[in-house]
Amino acid sequence: ILLVMTDGAELFRKLNALFLSDPLIDELGLVISPEKYFENERANPEPKPFILAEHKLAVAFWCIPPLYKYAFGLTKSIDIEDQASIPLMLDATRTVLLISPDCYTVLNIRKQLITNGVISPSEEIALLNLVFTKHPKSGEAWAHRRFVLERKTIQALSSFVDDEIQICSRIGETYPKNYYAWTHRLWVLDRVASPEAFQQDLVRMDGWTRRNISDNCGFHHRRALLLRISGHPRLLQEGRSCASVTGPYALGLFSVTCGDRWLAEIDMIDSLIDLYPGHETLWMHKRFLTTCCLAFLRGAASQDPTPASTGEGGTPAHSILTDLEYADRCIADNEASRYKEQRKHALGATPAGAPVGRESLLKLRVGL
């Protein structure tokens, strides 16, 4: 039955006719047997390659090999300098990206067309939005998206921030642990480089944090935002530990303007650990916050031989002893669910044997 329509040219023609009939297609899916979705056509033995309904496009698995082979062959045979062939090249490259968005050859062709002004950035972003509905973890597609956005000026890019954050949020919710989406989200915010934008995004993702307690990609994003709010993005970019930063540089982590934000983050992570015991991601985030507190205390100690545990304007009252007491309470709470995991993280023993909690605090306390 599947041999009825294996002609790549015919499939290519049908697919592009659908895009002409509905330019607002916003979702792509692959299905095994599209004809099964139509009760009145089940008696018809001819398989359907595509289904288009309510701007959603379904493509049958069986037609992908001939369709891809034909479309990719066109990209190699068409002369990109021939203006008359440009529409066919656009259709061919779009078809390839819908099937394989990591294809360097096609992405480079489209980069050239964008540079030449044949494809507008808005059109390319719309195509990538469609691609991400099926291929949300395509690293090359995300890199291509950044190339497109870089064609914009900083002023024009700022108008795209909300749309980009919305896309990253939707993909992050639908496809958890999507490193590429979170990296792109931070890249967009870095282009704006506004403390207010960092703060807004931190508040914006509070709800996500409480719904995705095991997704470290999002918590990594929160850590990056906190460092940027503090005015020290190079800490994260260079992969440096906060504990290795001393002196005034560390003191800046808890300035008057951002100290309250850090304290609120500590309160939030403690409450999440109480609600969801034994989750390693939460304890990793707590370790980061504690390490930054220690960096502050070390910096204060280098400036003042007898530093206080608190400072002006919201610097952390969250001392080492406070964290030790919290870890002791978690260790002693044998009524909590997942007690063994909770106790393990509180003690500071990870599968790799690296110090995480109480033990690391004790070691760092000695170093003060």
Side-chain angles (χ1 to χ4, degrees), residues 14 27 41-42 71-72 88 132 140 151 192 195 197 252 342:
K14 286 182 175 289
E27 187 172 342
E41 296 188 16
R42 287 187 178 181
F72 187 71
L88 183 59
F132 286 146
E140 296 307 320
R151 304 303 99 187
V192 180
Q342 181 83 326

Side-chain angles (χ1 to χ4, degrees), residues 56-117:
K56 318 299 179 188
L57 175 64
V59 180
F61 276 105
W62 63 263
C63 73
I64 290 177
L67 179 60
Y68 180 86
K69 182 178 180 180
Y70 179 79
F72 187 71
L74 285 178
T75 64
K76 295 191 294 183
S77 61
I78 297 175
D79 182 4
I80 196 173
E81 302 298 332
D82 182 6
Q83 294 298 316
S85 301
I86 291 298
L88 183 59
M89 176 65 85
L90 293 176
D91 290 344
T93 53
R94 177 180 60 194
T95 300
V96 172
L97 289 183
L98 292 178
I99 299 172
S100 177
D102 289 318
C103 181
Y104 281 106
T105 301
V106 168
L107 289 174
N108 287 334
I109 291 173
R110 294 191 72 90
K111 282 182 173 67
Q112 185 175 347
L113 293 174
I114 292 170
T115 303
N116 294 340

